[in-house]
Amino acid sequence: MDIEKILSQMTLEEKASLCSGRDFWHTKAIARLGIPSAMMCDGPHGLRKQVGEGDHLGINVSIETTCYPTASALANSFDREVLRTLGTALGKECQAEDVAMLLGPGLNMKRSPLCGRNFEYFSEDPYLAGQLGAAYIQNLQAEGVSACVKHFAANNQETRRMSGSSQMDERTLHEIYLPAFEAAVKQGKTRGMMCAYNGINDVFCSENKMLLTDVLREKWGYEGFVVTDWGAVKDRVKGVQAGLDLEMPGGTGTQDALIVEAVKNGTLSEAELDRVVRNMLQFVADYQDNRKPDTVIDRTANAALSGELAARCAVLLKNEDSILPLKDETVAFIGEFAAVPRFQGAGSSHVNVPHAVSALEAAAGKVRYAQGYDIHRQDNEAQLLSQAVELAKQVHTVVIFAGLPDSYESEGGDRETMEMPANQNALICAVAAVNPNVVVVLHGGSAMELPWLDRVKAVLYMALGGEQVGKAAVELLYGNVNPSGKLSETWPLRYCDNPSYLNFPGEEGKPIYAEGIYIGYRYYDKKQMDVLFPFGFGLSYTELAYSDLKLSQTELDDTETMTVSCKVRNVGTVPGAEAVQLYVRDEVSTVHRPIRELKGFAKVYLQPGEEQEISFTLDKRSFAYYEVKLHDWFVESGRFFVDIGASSRDIRLSGCVSVNGTAELPIHVDRLTTIGELTSFPKGKAFVEQMIAARKAHSQAATADNEKNMGEGSDKIVKSMMTEMPLCSLVTYGVMTFSQLDDLIAMLNE
């Protein structure tokens, strides 16, 4: 497709027509110019292609296809290869169904465990989410299908998501809520970006020039196109000016007419419109060039793949007395989820699955069963509870399948509580009272409160594991697969411990992100708070040992990279895998920083006795924080610790490196600048040192007088007071005149 030639032949009305969709899923075609229509589909974890043309509400029946584990499960793998494998599988399915773009992955942060759409998001950590998202995108697009990363940006709740605004400071936005999208652009090379419904600091994302142009295109170098979330447009002309390309879904043409009118009256330049058209034509050209119409899908193989991925994402949270894997004793499965598995969330990502395999089906007659509770009711049903308790008395081990029902987690609404349904909690407590060997298998897309944790021996978290989650659970329970997942989000003891607790979902649609950069483990670790399970936590049926930490250098400039390596050995008796995590912490910082931050991870699969060496590469961003004075990333010179661990609170190895920051912060000194602030740059520090030297010349007499008048430790008090003094105090105390002070300030600002 010759884009410039086609553009030169288009009428103004034709150009404007490409700014919105034909219908719910398709772009517009222009037959006379040979521009075809292209289809987009929902489904980060499975293809949700509607039958026929698709309706304007997106509620018609979609094709039957494979449902893979959701992002909430996939992130627990801590394994880029898992995401690459999924990306390849979904890319082939899209080719077989003539789908040009898959709407996903979702890269929003899990700010609160109550966000109803957390099951579609990876993590509370931007580095983990960005790395996994980039791996998914790379392999999806390698199949010739465009990814469309969503929801850009700060879409962290469902309450008032279409009209609200996320209120936060610049550092928080750039340090927490943008980096995953940046990785999708720079590493994943995503060809699509979906802007969110919400605003950021009272500017809607669909018309936010800072977001769509200044950051996305100019700072990150993005070359793809930007599509709205479905129905997110507030002002179409402002959107074009800000960097928005495609409005979805298609409408009556009213918005297109507004664009034409704006060009004619000079409100919008035709050059701005041409930029949008070029982006849309490039998307269609990519679709044409990468079509593979002969692609054939093996649904049976895909179903098996879904189960394999689910098993690699499961997290063993507790295993007292090594009760798992299950032995040859009598076993009962209890809980409706054992027979009717909870495997995906509700909303636009809901996949039409012909059959979801339950754990009861996968166990193939090896276990006895009782329903235990009704997923459609929250109160206890005495008969179901009684039957479950009686069965529990008759077997050696009970496996209870529990978690969050569909109604708790859905697009369009947030959870009301972090608690599980009361009837499930009551069931677990009642069964544990009559049987000491209780295992709980949990289903759900985010953290839950577990008031019965100390009454059961094991907990296996499956998250929302796709259509084969029942089979995967049985494979894990019986030891055919060794669990190796790690939690991609912290589980607090109770919801009120969460840093967003007082500001979620906010008032009048404007949640204030008062916790700033301290979300998830960054907050809990800084506060030294007890948690139920820390970020990165997960057990195994084998034992893994860490050793031989090596840093390629102990000093470097922030323009250089360094490598860190360590060895991991399987010292247990069964094959297993370990997600090795690398964290960086600043020894001393003049700005608030978390205790440690994830900056690397790698998954290794080891046979008993096998050892592997793992290497990580660290660069400037590994040590930097976002400095608002520079509107960029900045490394403060000093010592940093490199921590290798099995979780954020299980550090096995630690080393130290001195990093020299090569950038300088802009300095502006005025009469209110404190003497302590002067020490942050060379000329100011030299002046302060001169003052201290002058004071020391009189120190012996001054110290005696100070101690008499101010008490013991007076020297320290004087230094502290001096540090906090503004420069104008030098005039007040007779050190210099205002004229001399102004000369000093001018010299320091040169």
Side-chain angles (χ1 to χ4, degrees):
M1 180 184 290
D2 188 334
I3 291 175
E4 293 304 318
K5 181 179 179 181
I6 290 174
L7 185 64
S8 68
Q9 296 173 348
M10 296 179 74
T11 66
L12 176 60
E13 288 73 18
E14 286 173 332
K15 290 178 181 179
S17 74
L18 289 187
C19 295
S20 64
R22 183 187 83 197
D23 54 26
F24 206 84
W25 298 118
H26 297 82
T27 62
K28 289 192 182 83
I30 301 178
R32 79 174 187 88
L33 296 174
I35 303 172
S37 175
M39 185 177 194
M40 293 168 273
C41 277
D42 273 320
H45 56 270
L47 188 60
R48 183 173 168 266
K49 179 184 178 182
Q50 288 187 285
V51 177
E53 293 297 308
D55 63 281
H56 279 274
L57 293 177
I59 58 176
N60 281 351
V61 176
S62 57
I63 63 170
E64 290 186 347
T65 187
T66 306
C67 179
Y68 298 95
T70 67
S72 64
L74 294 165
N76 292 337
S77 72
F78 272 72
D79 191 345
R80 296 173 180 84
E81 190 57 35
V82 164
L83 276 298
R84 293 188 187 105
T85 301
L86 176 59
T88 297
L90 286 172
K92 292 181 184 299
E93 287 198 60
C94 287
Q95 285 289 4
E97 295 291 343
D98 195 14
V99 172
M101 173 172 280
L102 193 65
L103 304 179
L107 294 181
N108 297 108
M109 293 294 97
K110 292 187 176 185
R111 176 180 178 236
S112 167
L114 297 195
C115 175
R117 212 167 179 180
N118 272 351
F119 65 89
E120 277 194 72
Y121 302 144
F122 287 116
S123 179
E124 67 190 27
D125 183 81
Y127 179 82
L128 178 63
Q131 291 296 304
L132 296 178
Y136 172 103
I137 293 163
Q138 288 166 356
N139 279 45
L140 176 74
Q141 294 191 159
E143 296 301 319
V145 176
S146 295
C148 184
V149 176
K150 59 185 185 181
H151 308 87
F152 190 56
N155 183 175
N156 310 109
Q157 63 187 56
E158 294 300 285
T159 303
R160 295 285 293 269
R161 66 171 177 148
M162 299 187 77
S163 59
S165 176
S166 300
Q167 310 294 96
M168 71 183 75
D169 63 83
E170 181 182 351
R171 182 183 174 192
T172 296
L173 175 65
H174 285 266
E175 203 161 300
I176 301 297
Y177 296 98
L178 293 185
F181 293 97
E182 182 181 3
V185 171
K186 292 183 175 179
Q187 293 175 238
K189 306 296 182 184
T190 183
R191 296 200 288 267
M193 183 71 71
M194 181 191 293
C195 70
Y197 288 116
N198 57 280
I200 297 175
N201 297 331
D202 298 318
V203 181
F204 285 111
C205 293
S206 61
E207 54 198 56
N208 194 318
K209 180 178 180 295
M210 176 276 294
L211 195 66
L212 303 183
T213 296
D214 299 348
V215 172
L216 181 61
R217 295 192 185 279
E218 294 182 2
K219 205 169 216 179
W220 296 349
Y222 178 63
E223 296 180 347
F225 82 100
V226 177
V227 60
T228 66
D229 203 340
W230 269 226
V233 162
K234 307 299 189 296
D235 186 314
R236 192 64 188 92
V237 174
K238 283 185 179 179
V240 173
Q241 293 170 330
L244 174 65
D245 298 314
L246 178 64
E247 175 189 4
M248 290 297 286
T252 60
T254 302
Q255 302 277 45
D256 299 345
L258 291 176
I259 293 173
V260 171
E261 180 184 353
V263 172
K264 287 181 176 180
N265 66 27
T267 305
L268 180 71
S269 72
E270 192 159 1
E272 289 175 301
L273 178 57
D274 287 349
R275 174 192 54 76
V276 171
V277 176
R278 285 189 182 92
N279 290 337
M280 292 310 304
L281 291 176
Q282 187 62 59
F283 165 60
V284 174
D286 289 341
Y287 159 64
Q288 282 185 311
D289 294 344
N290 290 292
R291 275 293 290 130
K292 301 175 184 177
D294 297 328
T295 305
V296 177
I297 297 302
D298 185 338
R299 300 292 183 195
T300 301
N302 282 359
L305 174 61
S306 178
E308 292 170 12
L309 297 181
R312 292 167 70 176
C313 299
V315 186
L316 183 61
L317 297 176
K318 183 177 181 179
N319 195 20
E320 186 179 319
D321 298 333
S322 297
I323 190 173
L324 294 180
L326 296 173
K327 314 305 186 291
D328 293 329
E329 297 90 356
T330 56
V331 176
F333 282 5
I334 294 177
E336 192 169 356
F337 283 154
V340 183
R342 172 91 201 287
F343 62 95
Q344 65 173 328
S348 61
S349 69
H350 192 272
V351 179
N352 184 9
V353 177
H355 177 66
V357 177
S358 71
L360 195 58
E361 177 186 349
K366 290 195 296 185
V367 301
R368 299 173 65 183
Y369 172 68
Q371 181 178 336
Y373 59 84
D374 185 335
I375 58 175
H376 301 295
R377 298 181 59 173
Q378 303 305 306
D379 56 336
N380 283 317
E381 285 197 343
Q383 185 177 3
L384 292 178
L385 183 62
S386 176
Q387 290 171 348
V389 170
E390 285 305 309
L391 176 58
K393 293 176 181 177
Q394 300 168 25
V395 298
H396 183 274
T397 305
V398 176
V399 182
I400 300 177
F401 290 77
L404 304 178
D406 282 335
S407 60
Y408 275 48
E409 297 180 290
S410 173
E411 178 181 358
D414 292 317
R415 287 165 64 185
E416 296 178 0
T417 175
M418 224 178 85
E419 298 174 357
M420 290 167 49
N423 57 357
Q424 294 187 30
N425 285 333
L427 170 69
I428 295 170
C429 291
V431 169
V434 301
N435 190 312
N437 300 312
V438 177
V439 176
V440 177
V441 176
L442 281 177
H443 300 275
S446 194
M448 298 166 244
E449 294 180 12
L450 308 182
W452 37 259
L453 183 61
D454 61 349
R455 305 186 194 185
V456 304
K457 285 195 173 179
V459 179
L460 179 65
Y461 178 49
M462 300 301 299
L464 297 181
E467 66 176 63
Q468 297 286 316
V469 68
K471 182 177 184 296
V474 171
E475 292 283 301
L476 291 155
L477 288 169
Y478 283 92
N480 297 324
V481 179
N482 188 349
S484 63
K486 304 275 189 172
L487 288 179
S488 58
E489 62 176 319
T490 310
W491 284 35
L493 289 170
R494 52 198 171 269
Y495 173 53
C496 62
D497 290 344
N498 183 264
S500 71
Y501 175 68
L502 295 177
N503 297 288
F504 182 95
E507 297 178 356
E508 300 180 351
K510 291 190 176 183
I512 299 171
Y513 287 52
E515 69 279 4
I517 63 172
Y518 293 104
I519 77 165
Y521 71 93
R522 288 167 167 79
Y523 173 80
Y524 300 114
D525 290 354
K526 192 77 169 183
K527 290 270 291 184
Q528 299 181 13
M529 293 177 66
D530 289 336
V531 296
L532 195 63
F533 301 110
F535 175 83
F537 174 79
L539 303 174
S540 172
Y541 294 156
T542 193
E543 185 178 350
L544 291 306
Y546 292 60
S547 65
D548 296 337
L549 176 67
K550 294 178 182 176
L551 277 61
S552 62
Q553 53 209 98
T554 56
E555 294 184 12
L556 76 157
D557 288 344
D558 64 6
T559 54
E560 303 174 90
T561 61
M562 65 177 293
T563 59
V564 178
S565 66
C566 70
K567 292 179 180 178
V568 180
R569 178 183 291 273
N570 184 345
V571 296
T573 59
V574 296
E578 178 74 340
V580 181
Q581 300 155 50
L582 184 151
Y583 297 87
V584 171
R585 57 189 171 102
D586 193 350
E587 182 181 41
V588 178
S589 176
T590 59
V591 299
H592 286 293
R593 297 197 68 173
I595 297 297
R596 58 177 57 89
E597 297 177 274
L598 184 73
K599 296 298 179 182
F601 63 91
K603 194 74 167 281
V604 286
Y605 292 80
L606 301 166
Q607 295 297 318
E610 183 182 1
E611 181 178 73
Q612 285 191 30
E613 186 172 62
I614 307 164
S615 292
F616 305 91
T617 300
L618 302 182
D619 58 13
K620 176 181 177 177
R621 284 286 288 270
S622 304
F623 304 99
Y625 71 90
Y626 186 86
E627 174 53 68
V628 295
K629 293 176 183 176
L630 295 172
H631 306 293
D632 204 351
W633 295 90
F634 176 74
V635 174
E636 188 174 31
S637 297
R639 292 207 315 163
F640 291 81
F641 288 92
V642 178
D643 297 334
I644 303 287
S647 81
S648 64
R649 293 194 174 182
D650 184 7
I651 303 302
R652 307 289 182 86
L653 306 169
S654 187
C656 186
V657 58
S658 293
V659 183
N660 176 45
T662 57
E664 289 188 9
L665 292 179
I667 301 298
H668 175 72
V669 178
D670 57 32
R671 290 184 177 187
L672 293 179
T673 300
T674 67
I675 291 173
E677 288 174 323
L678 292 184
T679 61
S680 65
F681 64 102
K683 284 196 290 186
K685 186 176 181 181
F687 169 73
V688 173
E689 288 174 348
Q690 288 174 5
M691 285 183 59
I692 293 173
R695 182 178 179 277
K696 282 183 177 179
H698 306 283
S699 62
Q700 290 181 346
T703 298
D705 289 342
N706 286 342
E707 288 186 357
K708 181 177 179 181
N709 295 323
M710 302 176 66
E712 189 176 349
S714 58
D715 217 31
K716 181 178 179 182
I717 295 171
V718 170
K719 287 181 180 178
S720 178
M721 291 173 63
M722 224 177 114
T723 298
E724 295 299 322
M725 285 172 53
L727 289 180
C728 59
S729 296
L730 297 177
V731 177
T732 306
Y733 284 98
V735 177
M736 60 179 63
T737 66
F738 275 117
S739 177
Q740 290 171 326
L741 176 61
D742 290 340
D743 289 342
L744 171 65
I745 290 172
M747 182 273 292
L748 293 173
N749 280 323
E750 287 177 355

